[in-house]
Amino acid sequence: SQQGEEDPQALSIQEGENATMNCSYKTSINNLQWYRQNSGRGLVHLILIRSNEREKHSGRLRVTLDTSKKSSSLLITASRAADTASYFCATSRMDSSYKLIFGSGTRLLVRP
Amino acid sequence: EAQVTQNPRYLITVTGKKLTVTCSQNMNHEYMSWYRQDPGLGLRQIYYSMNVEVTDKGDVPEGYKVSRKEKRNFPLILESPSPNQTSLYFCASSAWRMAGADTQYFGPGTRLTVL
């Protein structure tokens, strides 16, 4: 069953612009993670945010978490062509921390 | 180099012919798991293992088997593959068994086609 759902499904922006992706989930969680996947390759971990955190930064990445709305957003600032990839959120339910559930992803295209 | 390896990377087979996809990690991780990725569906967890000899079903376990006899290896077995198992498969591992709270390290993927 899908726990996380990303929005939009696809996003096309110009290099230098900011990209925002959203993730909504259904049940209470302890943590939420964001991953990146370059075309057909293995996923790479970007950032983990805990349920008691509201915002977290890592370089050009900013992640927010709103547990009351069951949603998270990933902001990539000053995007580069190399940021072109698919981005996934992943959560585990509070009652099942061993199972990780991924959303369907947002495909980001950064045009040079 | 710390990594998760999968073999083979590409496989074309026929319906009913048993196959095994191997996964190995050299990071002494406790947790290992298998996912399949299909267009529009994201990644779906097939099986996971919290430690040696401890495995459990993910969301889509039907048609798959796993075993964890050694900490570093977690093979995925398709006893009788069918065309609906055509997919891109990923193995992943993490140091801690609580997958939701720990970074997952992914292998490069195995593209399987079942004719």
Side-chain angles (χ1 to χ4, degrees), chain B residues 9-107:
Chain B
R9 295 288 313 280
Y10 301 91
L11 179 60
I12 300 175
T13 188
V14 295
T15 299
K17 186 176 181 182
K18 181 179 178 180
L19 67 93
T20 300
V21 184
T22 64
C23 172
S24 184
Q25 50 91 6
N26 62 0
M27 296 170 279
N28 200 36
H29 282 175
E30 281 193 344
Y31 185 93
M32 297 184 75
S33 61
W34 278 102
Y35 298 87
R36 61 178 288 173
Q37 184 176 28
D38 302 291
L41 295 177
L43 278 81
R44 293 179 292 168
Q45 194 172 42
I46 303 171
Y47 269 95
Y48 62 93
S49 169
M50 292 171 281
N51 213 327
V52 175
E53 303 291 3
V54 182
T55 63
D56 206 349
K57 297 176 182 178
D59 287 326
V60 288
E62 295 79 19
Y64 304 95
K65 283 177 57 178
V66 293
S67 67
R68 186 99 179 267
K69 294 184 170 57
E70 304 166 285
K71 197 170 186 178
R72 62 182 293 129
N73 296 324
F74 191 44
L76 180 69
I77 303 158
L78 285 72
E79 294 269 4
S80 183
S82 62
N84 64 12
Q85 293 179 297
T86 292
S87 188
L88 180 57
Y89 291 86
F90 289 101
C91 180
S93 72
S94 62
W96 198 29
R97 60 184 62 186
M98 306 293 274
D102 200 9
T103 298
Q104 301 300 303
Y105 293 84
F106 281 80

XYZ file of all heavy atoms in Angstrom, chain B residues 9-107:
801
model
N 23.114 -7.881 -13.381
C 22.540 -6.560 -13.571
C 21.382 -6.594 -14.561
O 20.441 -5.812 -14.446
C 23.611 -5.607 -14.076
C 24.743 -5.350 -13.086
C 24.283 -4.475 -11.918
N 23.533 -3.323 -12.359
C 24.083 -2.214 -12.838
N 25.395 -2.120 -12.943
N 23.312 -1.212 -13.234
N 21.468 -7.492 -15.511
C 20.416 -7.649 -16.503
C 20.158 -9.140 -16.684
O 21.093 -9.931 -16.702
C 20.841 -7.043 -17.852
C 21.181 -5.584 -17.780
C 22.494 -5.175 -17.524
C 20.209 -4.612 -17.961
C 22.804 -3.825 -17.443
C 20.509 -3.264 -17.888
C 21.816 -2.882 -17.633
O 22.123 -1.557 -17.554
N 18.899 -9.489 -16.811
C 18.547 -10.898 -16.978
C 17.267 -10.994 -17.782
O 16.269 -10.361 -17.454
C 18.375 -11.574 -15.621
C 17.986 -13.054 -15.637
C 19.052 -13.875 -16.365
C 17.808 -13.564 -14.211
N 17.332 -11.802 -18.844
C 16.145 -12.144 -19.623
C 15.951 -13.635 -19.464
O 16.873 -14.409 -19.725
C 16.309 -11.769 -21.105
C 16.559 -10.265 -21.245
C 15.064 -12.173 -21.895
C 16.853 -9.817 -22.671
N 14.762 -14.025 -19.063
C 14.505 -15.437 -18.836
C 13.114 -15.786 -19.361
O 12.398 -14.935 -19.895
C 14.641 -15.780 -17.342
O 14.577 -17.194 -17.168
C 13.529 -15.126 -16.538
N 12.737 -17.028 -19.189
C 11.424 -17.479 -19.658
C 10.568 -17.892 -18.467
O 11.078 -18.238 -17.394
C 11.551 -18.647 -20.657
C 12.257 -18.177 -21.921
C 12.275 -19.821 -20.036
N 9.284 -17.874 -18.678
C 8.331 -18.236 -17.633
C 8.649 -19.606 -17.052
O 8.875 -20.568 -17.788
C 6.911 -18.224 -18.206
O 6.605 -16.908 -18.659
C 5.892 -18.641 -17.167
N 8.687 -19.666 -15.719
C 8.853 -20.931 -15.032
C 10.273 -21.369 -14.754
O 10.484 -22.346 -14.024
N 11.245 -20.683 -15.277
C 12.632 -21.082 -15.064
C 13.193 -20.401 -13.820
O 13.419 -19.183 -13.807
C 13.470 -20.738 -16.289
C 14.900 -21.246 -16.205
C 15.654 -20.949 -17.483
C 17.067 -21.493 -17.390
N 17.862 -21.178 -18.601
N 13.442 -21.186 -12.798
C 13.902 -20.657 -11.512
C 15.140 -19.801 -11.651
O 16.048 -20.122 -12.420
C 14.183 -21.814 -10.556
C 14.643 -21.387 -9.170
C 14.888 -22.589 -8.278
C 15.394 -22.147 -6.903
N 15.640 -23.315 -6.008
N 15.159 -18.705 -10.918
C 16.337 -17.852 -10.950
C 16.601 -17.250 -9.579
O 15.709 -17.157 -8.739
C 16.166 -16.746 -12.002
C 15.085 -15.697 -11.738
C 15.664 -14.485 -11.008
C 14.455 -15.237 -13.044
N 17.839 -16.848 -9.386
C 18.271 -16.198 -8.146
C 19.014 -14.929 -8.489
O 19.898 -14.930 -9.346
C 19.185 -17.115 -7.321
O 18.466 -18.305 -6.981
C 19.650 -16.415 -6.049
N 18.657 -13.865 -7.811
C 19.387 -12.606 -7.907
C 20.143 -12.433 -6.589
O 19.542 -12.473 -5.516
C 18.453 -11.414 -8.141
C 19.266 -10.135 -8.326
C 17.561 -11.641 -9.360
N 21.435 -12.281 -6.698
C 22.229 -12.176 -5.476
C 22.375 -10.726 -5.039
O 22.349 -9.800 -5.851
C 23.617 -12.792 -5.661
O 24.339 -12.035 -6.644
C 23.511 -14.239 -6.105
N 22.526 -10.547 -3.736
C 22.776 -9.237 -3.154
C 23.789 -9.415 -2.039
O 23.647 -10.309 -1.199
C 21.494 -8.631 -2.593
S 21.759 -7.105 -1.656
N 24.790 -8.567 -2.034
C 25.811 -8.649 -1.013
C 26.217 -7.244 -0.572
O 26.335 -6.340 -1.396
C 27.039 -9.398 -1.557
O 28.003 -9.556 -0.559
N 26.432 -7.074 0.740
C 26.908 -5.796 1.267
C 28.130 -6.027 2.135
O 28.225 -7.053 2.807
C 25.792 -5.065 2.047
C 25.084 -5.893 3.093
C 25.667 -5.841 4.480
O 26.588 -5.085 4.756
N 25.125 -6.652 5.380
N 29.043 -5.064 2.080
C 30.311 -5.206 2.814
C 30.412 -4.226 3.968
O 31.522 -3.844 4.373
C 31.493 -5.046 1.856
C 31.535 -3.665 1.215
O 30.685 -2.824 1.474
N 32.517 -3.436 0.358
N 29.270 -3.799 4.498
C 29.250 -2.789 5.553
C 28.828 -3.363 6.911
O 28.594 -2.610 7.856
C 28.309 -1.657 5.136
C 28.795 -0.925 3.889
S 27.572 0.209 3.199
C 26.521 -0.915 2.264
N 28.690 -4.681 6.980
C 28.262 -5.334 8.219
C 26.894 -4.828 8.687
O 26.637 -4.715 9.885
C 29.300 -5.139 9.336
C 29.148 -6.175 10.440
O 28.817 -7.320 10.178
N 29.386 -5.773 11.681
N 26.023 -4.535 7.721
C 24.709 -4.014 8.049
C 23.792 -5.109 8.560
O 23.821 -6.245 8.098
C 24.084 -3.359 6.815
C 24.631 -2.007 6.547
N 24.284 -1.265 5.413
C 25.489 -1.217 7.247
C 24.900 -0.101 5.449
N 25.644 -0.055 6.547
N 22.939 -4.731 9.517
C 21.962 -5.674 10.058
C 20.790 -5.885 9.106
O 20.303 -6.982 8.932
C 21.411 -5.138 11.391
C 22.317 -5.351 12.574
C 21.603 -5.097 13.890
O 20.524 -4.468 13.874
O 22.113 -5.537 14.928
N 20.320 -4.783 8.523
C 19.064 -4.793 7.781
C 19.331 -4.859 6.287
O 20.162 -4.126 5.752
C 18.295 -3.509 8.113
C 16.908 -3.387 7.526
C 15.789 -3.799 8.235
C 16.722 -2.824 6.261
C 14.515 -3.665 7.708
C 15.453 -2.685 5.724
C 14.351 -3.106 6.450
O 13.094 -2.976 5.928
N 18.594 -5.755 5.620
C 18.655 -5.828 4.168
C 17.237 -6.002 3.630
O 16.371 -6.561 4.314
C 19.550 -6.988 3.700
C 21.001 -6.831 4.136
S 22.099 -8.111 3.516
C 22.270 -7.612 1.783
N 17.024 -5.530 2.421
C 15.678 -5.616 1.864
C 15.722 -5.647 0.348
O 16.733 -5.279 -0.264
C 14.828 -4.425 2.346
O 15.407 -3.204 1.919
N 14.631 -6.092 -0.227
C 14.449 -6.117 -1.670
C 13.231 -5.293 -2.050
O 12.195 -5.349 -1.379
C 14.247 -7.552 -2.176
C 15.512 -8.298 -2.367
C 16.055 -9.238 -1.549
C 16.408 -8.181 -3.481
N 17.239 -9.706 -2.066
C 17.469 -9.076 -3.264
C 16.411 -7.407 -4.645
C 18.523 -9.213 -4.156
C 17.460 -7.539 -5.539
C 18.498 -8.436 -5.290
N 13.385 -4.545 -3.150
C 12.308 -3.745 -3.708
C 12.185 -4.044 -5.195
O 13.155 -4.401 -5.848
C 12.595 -2.244 -3.557
C 12.720 -1.770 -2.135
C 13.942 -1.838 -1.476
C 11.630 -1.251 -1.456
C 14.067 -1.402 -0.166
C 11.746 -0.802 -0.147
C 12.965 -0.890 0.483
O 13.087 -0.456 1.782
N 10.990 -3.835 -5.690
C 10.811 -3.809 -7.126
C 10.277 -2.434 -7.512
O 9.531 -1.815 -6.757
C 9.879 -4.911 -7.622
C 8.479 -4.882 -7.114
C 7.644 -6.005 -7.720
N 7.340 -5.747 -9.145
C 6.742 -6.620 -9.946
N 6.382 -7.807 -9.489
N 6.489 -6.319 -11.213
N 10.700 -1.978 -8.677
C 10.291 -0.667 -9.150
C 9.625 -0.812 -10.498
O 10.227 -1.315 -11.447
C 11.475 0.295 -9.252
C 11.069 1.706 -9.644
C 12.226 2.678 -9.647
O 13.375 2.309 -9.852
N 11.937 3.945 -9.387
N 8.389 -0.363 -10.571
C 7.616 -0.403 -11.806
C 7.148 1.010 -12.130
O 6.867 1.805 -11.225
C 6.418 -1.338 -11.641
C 6.846 -2.742 -11.269
O 7.439 -3.407 -12.128
O 6.615 -3.157 -10.114
N 7.037 1.336 -13.406
C 6.652 2.696 -13.807
C 5.371 3.155 -13.127
O 4.361 2.451 -13.142
C 6.472 2.558 -15.323
C 7.350 1.427 -15.716
C 7.288 0.462 -14.561
N 5.415 4.335 -12.543
C 4.233 4.909 -11.915
C 3.903 4.364 -10.547
O 2.996 4.869 -9.873
N 4.631 3.356 -10.101
C 4.311 2.730 -8.808
C 5.389 2.951 -7.764
O 5.266 2.482 -6.638
C 4.075 1.230 -8.991
C 2.864 0.846 -9.822
C 2.786 -0.662 -9.976
C 1.581 1.390 -9.189
N 6.460 3.595 -8.130
C 7.533 3.798 -7.166
C 8.186 2.491 -6.796
O 8.156 1.518 -7.550
N 8.773 2.439 -5.619
C 9.409 1.222 -5.125
C 8.464 0.533 -4.149
O 7.897 1.172 -3.261
C 10.709 1.546 -4.387
C 11.932 1.766 -5.241
C 11.952 3.171 -5.790
C 13.200 1.508 -4.451
N 8.334 -0.758 -4.306
C 7.515 -1.551 -3.401
C 8.394 -2.618 -2.760
O 9.129 -3.325 -3.449
C 6.341 -2.167 -4.147
C 5.330 -1.141 -4.651
C 4.198 -1.815 -5.409
N 4.655 -2.398 -6.662
C 3.927 -3.240 -7.390
N 2.720 -3.612 -6.983
N 4.408 -3.702 -8.522
N 8.265 -2.736 -1.457
C 9.129 -3.655 -0.726
C 8.636 -5.085 -0.873
O 7.454 -5.374 -0.663
C 9.183 -3.253 0.746
C 10.302 -3.917 1.512
C 10.438 -3.353 2.924
O 9.455 -3.117 3.616
N 11.681 -3.130 3.347
N 9.547 -5.992 -1.181
C 9.195 -7.397 -1.390
C 9.400 -8.186 -0.088
O 8.478 -8.817 0.425
C 10.061 -8.007 -2.517
C 9.902 -7.203 -3.807
C 9.699 -9.470 -2.739
C 10.886 -7.608 -4.896
N 10.600 -8.172 0.411
C 10.964 -8.832 1.666
C 12.026 -7.981 2.349
O 12.736 -7.217 1.709
C 11.550 -10.226 1.407
C 10.552 -11.346 1.395
C 10.007 -11.796 0.191
C 10.154 -11.972 2.576
C 9.090 -12.840 0.163
C 9.233 -13.011 2.555
C 8.705 -13.435 1.348
O 7.792 -14.467 1.322
N 12.134 -8.177 3.647
C 13.218 -7.554 4.370
C 13.750 -8.526 5.420
O 13.087 -9.506 5.771
C 12.791 -6.231 5.010
C 11.686 -6.336 6.038
C 11.965 -6.470 7.395
C 10.349 -6.281 5.642
C 10.947 -6.552 8.321
C 9.331 -6.372 6.572
C 9.626 -6.499 7.907
O 8.606 -6.589 8.831
N 14.956 -8.210 5.897
C 15.588 -9.057 6.898
C 16.236 -8.176 7.957
O 17.007 -7.269 7.620
C 16.657 -9.944 6.249
O 17.436 -10.585 7.231
N 15.913 -8.440 9.198
C 16.459 -7.633 10.285
C 17.789 -8.175 10.806
O 18.510 -7.473 11.521
C 15.437 -7.538 11.414
C 14.226 -6.731 11.022
S 12.929 -6.833 12.247
C 12.216 -8.431 11.863
N 18.067 -9.421 10.472
C 19.340 -10.014 10.862
C 19.407 -11.422 10.294
O 18.467 -11.888 9.631
C 19.502 -10.033 12.384
C 20.948 -9.851 12.807
O 21.874 -10.287 12.117
N 21.144 -9.211 13.942
N 20.485 -12.103 10.556
C 20.648 -13.463 10.034
C 19.484 -14.328 10.509
O 19.102 -14.283 11.680
C 21.989 -14.046 10.509
C 22.121 -15.505 10.091
C 23.148 -13.240 9.946
N 18.922 -15.058 9.568
C 17.818 -15.988 9.823
C 16.516 -15.309 10.233
O 15.577 -15.982 10.654
C 18.218 -17.032 10.887
C 19.445 -17.850 10.567
C 19.254 -18.819 9.409
O 18.187 -18.839 8.782
O 20.224 -19.559 9.092
N 16.427 -13.991 10.108
C 15.203 -13.263 10.431
C 14.734 -12.513 9.193
O 15.364 -11.533 8.773
C 15.409 -12.268 11.592
C 14.083 -11.564 11.916
C 15.955 -12.968 12.812
N 13.645 -12.998 8.589
C 13.108 -12.334 7.409
C 11.611 -12.130 7.586
O 10.964 -12.848 8.360
C 13.366 -13.146 6.126
O 12.673 -14.396 6.225
C 14.855 -13.400 5.910
N 11.062 -11.201 6.834
C 9.632 -10.952 6.897
C 9.157 -10.356 5.591
O 9.948 -9.811 4.799
C 9.285 -10.020 8.059
C 7.857 -10.225 8.555
O 7.075 -10.942 7.871
O 7.508 -9.678 9.613
N 7.848 -10.480 5.375
C 7.261 -10.027 4.123
C 7.111 -8.520 4.083
O 6.773 -7.895 5.087
C 5.873 -10.676 3.944
C 5.902 -12.176 3.826
C 4.495 -12.731 3.751
C 4.518 -14.243 3.671
N 3.150 -14.814 3.648
N 7.327 -7.984 2.891
C 7.011 -6.597 2.635
C 5.603 -6.494 2.068
O 4.721 -7.275 2.431
N 5.413 -5.577 1.157
C 4.073 -5.353 0.614
C 3.718 -6.247 -0.570
O 2.543 -6.473 -0.842
C 3.933 -3.884 0.178
C 3.831 -2.950 1.367
O 3.240 -3.354 2.387
O 4.344 -1.820 1.286
N 4.728 -6.741 -1.272
C 4.465 -7.561 -2.465
C 5.309 -8.829 -2.477
O 6.122 -9.055 -3.371
C 4.685 -6.738 -3.761
C 3.584 -5.722 -3.951
C 6.061 -6.070 -3.757
N 5.136 -9.744 -1.503
C 6.008 -10.914 -1.400
C 5.620 -12.089 -2.302
O 6.425 -13.023 -2.471
C 5.837 -11.316 0.059
C 4.416 -10.913 0.371
C 4.174 -9.654 -0.419
N 4.426 -12.052 -2.893
C 3.947 -13.224 -3.631
C 4.854 -13.525 -4.816
O 5.165 -12.655 -5.621
C 2.512 -12.989 -4.131
C 1.480 -12.844 -3.036
C 1.495 -11.468 -2.401
O 2.028 -10.526 -3.032
O 0.984 -11.334 -1.275
N 5.253 -14.802 -4.928
C 6.094 -15.232 -6.037
C 7.582 -15.120 -5.778
O 8.387 -15.435 -6.649
N 7.958 -14.672 -4.576
C 9.370 -14.493 -4.231
C 9.722 -15.247 -2.958
O 8.868 -15.480 -2.106
C 9.688 -13.006 -4.016
C 9.342 -12.113 -5.163
C 8.115 -11.443 -5.196
C 10.230 -11.912 -6.212
C 7.779 -10.607 -6.248
C 9.907 -11.075 -7.265
C 8.678 -10.428 -7.280
O 8.359 -9.600 -8.338
N 10.976 -15.621 -2.855
C 11.527 -16.186 -1.633
C 12.849 -15.514 -1.337
O 13.536 -15.048 -2.252
C 11.751 -17.700 -1.780
C 10.515 -18.540 -1.683
C 10.828 -20.009 -1.925
C 11.875 -20.556 -0.989
N 12.130 -21.996 -1.202
N 13.196 -15.491 -0.072
C 14.498 -14.955 0.328
C 15.081 -15.846 1.401
O 14.383 -16.670 1.998
C 14.391 -13.510 0.881
C 13.976 -12.537 -0.208
C 13.443 -13.449 2.063
N 16.364 -15.651 1.644
C 17.007 -16.312 2.769
C 18.129 -15.409 3.267
O 18.681 -14.614 2.499
C 17.550 -17.684 2.376
O 18.626 -17.541 1.460
N 18.464 -15.529 4.531
C 19.567 -14.730 5.096
C 20.384 -15.663 5.986
O 20.243 -15.691 7.195
C 19.009 -13.556 5.911
C 20.103 -12.614 6.391
C 20.238 -11.406 5.522
N 21.266 -10.488 5.980
C 21.039 -9.444 6.799
N 19.821 -9.235 7.283
N 22.039 -8.641 7.127
N 21.251 -16.414 5.331
C 22.090 -17.380 6.060
C 23.370 -16.722 6.562
O 23.976 -17.193 7.540
C 22.405 -18.569 5.179
C 21.178 -19.419 4.831
C 21.569 -20.635 4.034
C 20.423 -21.611 3.893
N 19.235 -21.006 3.276
N 23.797 -15.698 5.870
C 24.972 -14.937 6.285
C 24.584 -13.467 6.368
O 23.696 -13.028 5.636
C 26.106 -15.080 5.273
C 26.528 -16.481 4.975
C 27.394 -16.506 3.731
O 26.850 -16.360 2.629
O 28.624 -16.648 3.869
N 25.262 -12.733 7.176
C 24.896 -11.335 7.370
C 25.056 -10.524 6.094
O 24.273 -9.615 5.814
C 25.756 -10.726 8.481
C 25.194 -9.441 9.045
C 25.962 -9.031 10.287
C 25.317 -7.824 10.930
N 26.020 -7.416 12.168
N 26.058 -10.834 5.298
C 26.363 -10.000 4.150
C 25.503 -10.305 2.924
O 25.418 -9.487 2.005
C 27.838 -10.140 3.780
C 28.261 -11.535 3.377
C 29.751 -11.584 3.077
N 30.073 -10.806 1.901
C 31.022 -9.882 1.863
N 31.731 -9.611 2.948
N 31.273 -9.209 0.762
N 24.853 -11.469 2.860
C 24.145 -11.881 1.642
C 22.641 -12.009 1.854
O 22.194 -12.523 2.898
C 24.690 -13.221 1.152
C 26.139 -13.129 0.736
O 26.571 -12.121 0.184
N 26.906 -14.180 1.022
N 21.898 -11.602 0.841
C 20.437 -11.666 0.927
C 19.893 -11.944 -0.485
O 19.420 -11.049 -1.170
C 19.909 -10.341 1.474
C 18.447 -10.352 1.853
C 17.898 -11.398 2.561
C 17.629 -9.273 1.520
C 16.560 -11.399 2.931
C 16.293 -9.260 1.881
C 15.754 -10.324 2.590
N 19.946 -13.186 -0.929
C 19.499 -13.499 -2.289
C 17.983 -13.473 -2.438
O 17.251 -13.807 -1.495
C 20.049 -14.913 -2.510
C 20.168 -15.490 -1.134
C 20.502 -14.346 -0.226
N 17.547 -13.094 -3.612
C 16.125 -13.090 -3.975
C 15.898 -14.232 -4.955
O 16.567 -14.296 -5.986
C 15.744 -11.761 -4.609
C 14.283 -11.615 -5.049
C 13.356 -11.545 -3.833
C 14.111 -10.359 -5.916
N 14.950 -15.103 -4.624
C 14.700 -16.290 -5.430
C 13.314 -16.208 -6.045
O 12.331 -15.938 -5.349
C 14.797 -17.555 -4.555
C 16.177 -17.611 -3.895
C 14.533 -18.809 -5.396
C 16.226 -18.463 -2.655
N 13.266 -16.431 -7.357
C 11.982 -16.556 -8.048
C 11.873 -18.008 -8.489
O 12.566 -18.443 -9.408
C 11.915 -15.614 -9.249
C 11.702 -14.116 -8.955
C 12.946 -13.471 -8.360
C 11.258 -13.386 -10.210
N 11.037 -18.765 -7.795
C 10.945 -20.205 -8.049
C 10.349 -20.489 -9.424
O 10.796 -21.385 -10.135
C 10.074 -20.862 -6.974
C 10.657 -20.810 -5.578
C 11.514 -22.044 -5.258
O 11.702 -22.894 -6.151
O 11.993 -22.144 -4.116
N 9.342 -19.737 -9.800
C 8.676 -19.944 -11.086
C 8.269 -18.574 -11.638
O 7.113 -18.157 -11.510
C 7.446 -20.847 -10.912
O 6.839 -21.099 -12.163
N 9.230 -17.892 -12.247
C 8.962 -16.519 -12.681
C 7.818 -16.419 -13.684
O 7.618 -17.328 -14.515
C 10.281 -16.088 -13.329
C 11.303 -17.027 -12.797
C 10.595 -18.313 -12.533
N 7.101 -15.325 -13.597
C 6.020 -15.057 -14.551
C 6.230 -13.658 -15.138
O 6.956 -12.843 -14.563
C 4.666 -15.146 -13.850
O 4.580 -14.159 -12.847
N 5.599 -13.388 -16.278
C 5.810 -12.085 -16.938
C 5.492 -10.880 -16.051
O 6.095 -9.820 -16.219
C 4.870 -12.168 -18.143
C 4.839 -13.626 -18.487
C 4.849 -14.327 -17.161
N 4.581 -11.024 -15.087
C 4.259 -9.880 -14.231
C 5.353 -9.600 -13.208
O 5.247 -8.649 -12.412
C 2.891 -10.038 -13.555
C 2.849 -11.208 -12.602
O 3.862 -11.793 -12.254
N 1.652 -11.545 -12.148
N 6.399 -10.404 -13.214
C 7.559 -10.129 -12.373
C 8.667 -9.414 -13.147
O 9.744 -9.164 -12.590
C 8.090 -11.423 -11.743
C 7.103 -12.001 -10.741
C 7.580 -13.291 -10.128
O 7.763 -14.292 -10.832
N 7.777 -13.292 -8.826
N 8.380 -9.100 -14.391
C 9.286 -8.238 -15.147
C 9.335 -6.885 -14.458
O 8.307 -6.238 -14.273
C 8.794 -8.084 -16.597
O 8.917 -9.340 -17.266
C 9.602 -7.027 -17.339
N 10.535 -6.475 -14.061
C 10.643 -5.259 -13.260
C 12.113 -4.914 -13.057
O 13.017 -5.633 -13.473
C 9.969 -5.476 -11.897
O 9.888 -4.262 -11.169
N 12.330 -3.789 -12.387
C 13.661 -3.385 -11.950
C 13.743 -3.653 -10.453
O 12.912 -3.141 -9.691
C 13.881 -1.905 -12.263
C 15.214 -1.281 -11.876
C 16.387 -2.014 -12.518
C 15.230 0.205 -12.262
N 14.721 -4.445 -10.054
C 14.823 -4.866 -8.667
C 16.025 -4.211 -7.987
O 17.112 -4.132 -8.560
C 14.983 -6.390 -8.582
C 13.732 -7.124 -8.989
C 13.482 -7.421 -10.326
C 12.797 -7.513 -8.039
C 12.316 -8.087 -10.702
C 11.636 -8.177 -8.401
C 11.411 -8.454 -9.730
O 10.256 -9.110 -10.097
N 15.786 -3.768 -6.756
C 16.845 -3.160 -5.969
C 16.985 -3.864 -4.637
O 15.996 -4.163 -3.963
C 16.556 -1.680 -5.708
C 16.684 -0.809 -6.913
C 15.568 -0.395 -7.612
C 17.941 -0.410 -7.343
C 15.699 0.404 -8.731
C 18.078 0.396 -8.460
C 16.952 0.798 -9.162
N 18.223 -4.068 -4.256
C 18.556 -4.520 -2.923
C 19.052 -3.309 -2.142
O 19.686 -2.406 -2.727
C 19.643 -5.587 -3.000
S 20.170 -6.250 -1.419
N 18.774 -3.274 -0.858
C 19.227 -2.162 -0.031
C 19.614 -2.690 1.343
O 19.153 -3.760 1.771
C 18.130 -1.108 0.105
N 20.458 -1.940 2.035
C 20.845 -2.333 3.385
C 20.987 -1.104 4.258
O 21.194 0.013 3.763
C 22.150 -3.132 3.373
O 23.261 -2.291 3.076
N 20.868 -1.312 5.556
C 21.127 -0.245 6.515
C 21.751 -0.838 7.751
O 21.548 -2.015 8.070
C 19.852 0.535 6.872
O 18.899 -0.292 7.490
N 22.487 0.021 8.472
C 23.210 -0.462 9.651
C 22.249 -0.933 10.725
O 22.482 -1.948 11.396
C 24.114 0.647 10.183
N 21.175 -0.186 10.878
C 20.231 -0.436 11.959
C 18.981 -1.111 11.420
O 18.538 -0.848 10.293
C 19.894 0.901 12.610
C 19.283 0.793 13.968
C 19.488 -0.198 14.886
C 18.366 1.697 14.558
N 18.741 0.060 16.011
C 18.053 1.206 15.844
C 17.760 2.889 14.130
C 17.170 1.854 16.699
C 16.889 3.528 14.986
C 16.592 3.012 16.251
N 18.385 -1.953 12.229
C 17.227 -2.712 11.770
C 15.968 -1.867 11.624
O 15.026 -2.245 10.944
C 16.958 -3.882 12.703
C 16.682 -3.482 14.135
C 16.519 -4.707 15.015
N 17.722 -5.510 15.057
C 17.795 -6.693 15.656
N 16.731 -7.191 16.250
N 18.920 -7.370 15.673
N 15.937 -0.714 12.266
C 14.758 0.166 12.149
C 14.908 0.971 10.861
O 15.431 2.079 10.839
C 14.673 1.099 13.356
C 14.685 0.379 14.673
S 13.216 -0.623 14.926
C 12.118 0.599 15.617
N 14.419 0.400 9.786
C 14.673 0.968 8.465
C 14.206 2.403 8.337
O 14.818 3.218 7.647
C 13.989 0.105 7.412
N 13.107 2.715 8.986
C 12.580 4.062 8.864
C 13.458 5.122 9.480
O 13.333 6.305 9.166
N 14.354 4.712 10.334
C 15.185 5.671 11.060
C 16.637 5.670 10.594
O 17.481 6.291 11.224
C 15.135 5.378 12.557
N 16.913 4.978 9.489
C 18.304 4.837 9.100
C 18.460 4.953 7.583
O 17.577 4.545 6.821
C 18.849 3.483 9.574
C 20.349 3.444 9.637
O 20.997 4.500 9.478
O 20.898 2.345 9.852
N 19.599 5.437 7.171
C 19.902 5.580 5.742
C 19.942 4.221 5.071
O 20.618 3.306 5.545
C 21.263 6.265 5.562
O 21.206 7.568 6.134
C 21.638 6.365 4.091
N 19.225 4.096 3.978
C 19.280 2.885 3.176
C 20.328 3.064 2.072
O 20.341 4.077 1.382
C 17.921 2.592 2.545
C 16.786 2.402 3.545
C 17.031 1.258 4.497
O 17.228 0.112 4.085
N 17.010 1.558 5.780
N 21.177 2.047 1.906
C 22.179 2.040 0.843
C 21.703 1.060 -0.222
O 21.479 -0.118 0.070
C 23.546 1.614 1.391
C 24.132 2.616 2.346
C 23.772 2.609 3.689
C 25.033 3.582 1.901
C 24.290 3.546 4.573
C 25.559 4.510 2.777
C 25.181 4.490 4.101
O 25.699 5.415 4.972
N 21.563 1.566 -1.424
C 20.981 0.770 -2.497
C 22.050 0.194 -3.430
O 23.084 0.816 -3.694
C 20.021 1.616 -3.326
C 18.683 1.787 -2.683
C 18.493 2.728 -1.682
C 17.608 0.990 -3.054
C 17.257 2.884 -1.076
C 16.369 1.141 -2.457
C 16.196 2.083 -1.465
N 21.742 -0.996 -3.933
C 22.541 -1.571 -4.990
C 22.209 -0.917 -6.322
O 21.307 -0.086 -6.398
